[in-house]
Amino acid sequence: SFDPEPVGSASIAQVHRARLRRKRWWRRRGGRVAVKVQRPGAERLMLRDLKNIRSFLSSRIVRGSLAWDADAILDQIDGETAGEFDFTAEAARMDAAAATLAKPPPGRLRFLRRLFYTPPVAVPRARAGLVTKRLLVMDFVSGIQLSRLAGEAGAKGSDAEAKMLFEHLGDAFGRLLFEDGFAGVHADPHPGNLLV
C-alpha cells in the first residue's frame, strides 16, 4: 500500500509512507517503508536557476563589485547539486552512516560491548533493489521532529533527557566525521530532519 499524502516535503522531493508486501520469506522483507520521490522537473529547474545566478554574477556591474570569486563558489554548488539529485548516492551515504553507528564506539572491551550494544542513534537503511536516481525506498522510522520536541521538553521540564539527547547526537556526528571519513555524514541536520 502507498499513502498518497506525503509525510514530508521539500523543494527536491517528498516522502510518503508505504507498506511492502513480503514476496518470499527468503527474498525480501516486507514492512513499513518511507518512499522518497523526486519532484518531476526539479533538477532541470535547479540547474536553470544556477545558470541564471551565474549569468547575473558574471555581468560587468556585479563582477566588479564582488570581493570573492563567484565562479569558484558556483562551481562547488554545481558539483554538490548533482549529488543532491542522485538518490543512489544518498542511499550509499545512509547505509555507510547506519553501519558506522551500529558498531560500538572504540574503547576497551569492544568485543564484549559488541554483544550487548544498542546504538542510541539509528539511521534508516535503504531497501536494496528499490533505489534509483529519482526514487529512494528506506526503512520507515517514526518519531517526533527535533524542532517540535523543544516545546514538549520545555513543558515537561526534562532538561536531563534533552542533555542526554544532544550528547548522543554530538557523539554520532563526531563518529561519522572521524571514523567514517565523511562517507555517511548527514549534510542537512536541521531539527526538522532529525527524529526522536
Side-chain angles (χ1 to χ4, degrees):
S1 67
F2 183 87
D3 185 354
E5 190 68 31
V7 293
S9 185
S11 57
I12 293 175
Q14 57 190 36
V15 177
H16 297 265
R17 257 189 213 114
R19 181 171 295 279
L20 293 179
R21 282 186 288 163
R22 220 178 157 131
K23 290 198 175 193
R24 300 271 189 261
W25 64 269
W26 66 86
R27 284 205 176 158
R28 183 181 297 152
R29 56 189 187 181
R32 290 174 28 173
V33 292
V35 180
K36 184 174 181 179
V37 183
Q38 197 172 114
R39 293 182 185 280
E43 184 174 16
R44 187 177 65 249
L45 180 63
M46 177 74 83
L47 293 174
R48 189 180 72 211
D49 288 348
L50 287 171
K51 183 178 177 184
N52 289 338
I53 291 169
R54 188 180 291 276
S55 176
F56 171 73
L57 291 177
S58 62
S59 68
R60 269 191 301 155
I61 296 169
V62 175
R63 185 168 295 283
S65 63
L66 296 178
W68 38 270
D69 183 4
D71 287 329
I73 293 170
L74 290 171
D75 289 344
Q76 178 72 31
I77 291 171
D78 281 344
E80 295 300 319
T81 300
E84 286 291 316
F85 287 98
D86 184 359
F87 289 172
T88 58
E90 182 175 342
R93 288 189 304 271
M94 286 171 44
D95 288 343
T100 296
L101 296 178
K103 297 180 289 192
R108 292 177 18 179
L109 303 176
R110 187 173 185 170
F111 68 97
L112 283 176
R113 288 191 308 172
R114 190 173 299 197
L115 296 174
F116 305 104
Y117 182 69
T118 302
V121 176
V123 177
R125 291 207 182 243
R127 294 292 183 101
L130 298 175
V131 178
T132 68
K133 187 173 188 247
R134 293 190 169 92
L135 178 83
L136 171 59
V137 179
M138 65 189 106
D139 295 333
F140 186 86
V141 178
S142 55
I144 301 170
Q145 287 181 334
L146 197 57
S147 55
R148 294 183 185 160
L149 186 68
E152 292 180 23
K156 294 178 183 174
S158 54
D159 289 339
E161 288 178 356
K163 182 179 179 194
M164 184 176 67
L165 168 69
F166 286 109
E167 284 176 0
H168 287 314
L169 286 174
D171 180 56
F173 276 97
R175 290 184 65 201
L176 291 173
L177 284 169
F178 299 113
E179 287 180 36
D180 203 24
F182 296 95
V185 172
H186 190 321
D188 193 14
H190 67 77
N193 277 348
L194 301 173
L195 299 177
V196 179

